[in-house]
Amino acid sequence: MSFPDTSGHLSDERALHFRSMCCFIVPPGVLKKYSRDPGVDAATRKSLQDTYLETERLRGLREAHRIATLRDPERFLAGAAVHVPQQHLFDCMHRKGLPGKAVAAPAGGFKTVFDTTAKVVEFYKTVLGRNSVDNKGFDLASSLHYSKSYDNAFWSGSQMVYGDGDGKLFGEMYLSPDVIGHELTHGVTQNLSALRYEGESGALNESISDVFGTVFNQWLNNWPVTEPRGWLVGAGIMAPPAQAKGFTCLRDMVQPSAKHCLSPQPELYSQLDPTADVHENSGVPNKAFATFARAAGGQAWGNAIKVWYDTCINRALRSDATFSEFAGLTIASALKFGGATLQAQCRSAWNEVGVVLPNP
Ligand SMILES: [Zn+2]
């Protein structure tokens, strides 16, 4: 079986479908690469290939939500009535129908997802002053055991979905708290700037999810910015055989190109391929944030995340923003939260990854 050719000869509708990716934690390139790796056993290769094909099928789900968001002029406002977000859990029982069968009394993995999701809601509320993903108390639905040996987790545009992993490369996808924070943050971005999921705006969309996912994990574990584990994306979803090969994470925000990343990324703006997958180009803004937060010191859920969140809720952040435009907004926000010192640290972080800043 070959992979679908997404490079050309598509109808306009089909081309739009392929450009507007669903927000998965594992990049399609990684699934594709290891599904063809002779060093990987046949059953795992099949799981990776099935996940890749399913990932392609699901790409279009989010675009309708994104367009609807852009048509809602009140998306930046909190709801008048304060609704406390409720959670709903579902069991897909290894099938692909969503959301699956309702789970009344969560236990085991369902309990883990329930508890971690509740912590993300608490993080949004206490650190960012935000009421769930839409700031209006959006109820959160999570489906587990999606498909068979499914090597991904994703935000569908309206809910979270987790696969069990193949057990060789990936384990259960909810085991990394940062993955849950990452995916729910796609819901936040969808409700704010609705950054288009391609090119630089797509890489920013991905990076914002990595930033809030990792800072949520640091907050959960009370890790300071100096703790290296706090900057890893997906450390908890790497299966023991992958760890034995030296892969400790999907991505590392401090060292995006390091060998211990299953999905290494370029670290400098000049090294980027503008046509590459959004998960590849997100390493540059990821490193800019990690560099900024580490220079600011203390805990990343202090001023550093507040500067990034202030940028995310800024109406000036366009849905097709470039790295340079986003960087300019963070530098303006840094002045608000920490004066000239924090602003200089922010500017220096973007300089380090080679993003050319807009004229003041
Ligand atoms: Zn993502």
Side-chain angles (χ1 to χ4, degrees):
M1 188 186 290
S2 64
F3 289 98
D5 176 14
T6 60
S7 58
H9 310 297
L10 299 167
S11 69
D12 287 349
E13 191 188 351
R14 194 75 178 138
L16 174 67
H17 174 83
F18 277 110
R19 279 202 303 271
S20 52
M21 293 176 61
C22 203
C23 294
F24 297 89
I25 188 74
V26 180
V30 167
L31 299 168
K32 200 168 170 178
K33 178 181 169 191
Y34 287 97
S35 72
R36 290 170 169 176
D37 186 337
V40 174
D41 67 89
T44 306
R45 286 210 310 269
K46 169 112 178 42
S47 297
L48 291 162
Q49 188 180 42
D50 288 348
T51 304
Y52 177 84
L53 294 171
E54 181 66 358
T55 300
E56 294 294 295
R57 188 181 76 79
L58 289 165
R59 276 180 174 193
L61 264 180
R62 282 195 66 258
E63 185 63 359
H65 290 278
R66 195 185 74 81
I67 289 168
T69 297
L70 289 172
R71 288 186 183 139
D72 176 9
E74 294 189 352
R75 67 186 186 276
F76 290 96
L77 306 176
V82 178
H83 175 72
V84 177
Q86 305 297 305
Q87 281 199 59
H88 306 286
L89 292 162
F90 299 91
D91 188 346
C92 291
M93 297 185 287
H94 307 290
R95 291 198 282 266
K96 291 177 184 171
L98 286 173
K101 188 167 175 276
V103 174
F110 291 97
K111 176 91 167 64
T112 303
V113 169
F114 183 91
D115 290 346
T116 311
T117 303
K119 281 290 182 186
V120 176
V121 170
E122 187 187 330
F123 170 78
Y124 285 156
K125 189 157 189 233
T126 59
V127 176
L128 309 174
R130 185 172 188 84
N131 185 9
S132 188
V133 296
D134 63 349
N135 208 16
K136 296 170 188 167
F138 188 82
D139 288 344
L140 298 169
S142 306
S143 296
L144 275 72
H145 306 307
Y146 179 77
S147 192
K148 290 193 178 95
S149 304
Y150 186 71
D151 281 316
N152 231 330
F154 62 94
W155 168 257
S156 74
S158 60
Q159 71 156 106
M160 290 291 316
V161 184
Y162 302 93
D164 294 337
D166 58 57
K168 299 281 174 55
L169 208 51
F170 298 107
E172 284 151 323
M173 290 285 158
Y174 55 78
L175 290 176
S176 254
D178 59 278
V179 169
I180 298 184
H182 173 112
E183 295 301 339
L184 286 170
T185 302
H186 279 308
V188 174
T189 300
Q190 173 187 313
N191 280 287
L192 289 169
S193 56
L195 283 161
R196 196 174 176 83
Y197 211 59
E198 63 178 355
E200 292 194 19
S201 59
L204 285 170
N205 190 325
E206 261 310 305
S207 173
I208 287 164
S209 275
D210 277 355
V211 164
F212 285 85
T214 50
V215 175
F216 162 65
N217 198 22
Q218 292 172 31
W219 171 83
L220 195 64
N221 288 289
N222 201 22
W223 285 332
V225 290
T226 48
E227 170 56 58
R229 285 176 297 173
W231 298 105
L232 304 181
V233 176
I237 64 172
M238 306 309 297
Q243 288 179 27
K245 286 184 180 170
F247 296 120
T248 57
C249 61
L250 265 180
R251 297 183 282 277
D252 182 339
M253 291 175 58
V254 174
Q255 311 171 72
S257 63
K259 283 198 172 71
H260 60 256
C261 301
L262 188 71
S263 185
Q265 304 166 295
E267 301 196 0
L268 291 172
Y269 187 73
S270 59
Q271 297 167 340
L272 294 186
D273 168 2
T275 65
D277 180 68
V278 291
H279 297 86
E280 206 160 302
N281 291 345
S282 59
V284 166
N286 275 2
K287 185 164 178 169
F289 178 78
T291 303
F292 168 54
R294 282 152 48 98
Q299 297 155 327
W301 62 93
N303 280 335
I305 200 67
K306 290 191 173 75
V307 166
W308 247 240
Y309 183 62
D310 190 56
T311 301
C312 291
I313 61 173
N314 190 335
R315 289 164 194 247
L317 180 61
R318 302 179 308 119
S319 65
D320 58 351
T322 62
F323 287 2
S324 177
E325 288 167 359
F326 184 85
L329 295 175
T330 62
I331 290 164
S333 290
L335 184 65
K336 273 181 12 192
F337 288 93
T341 305
L342 196 68
Q343 190 177 42
Q345 287 162 337
C346 189
R347 186 179 284 118
S348 153
W350 287 108
N351 282 333
E352 197 167 310
V353 294
V355 169
V356 177
L357 300 172
N359 291 324

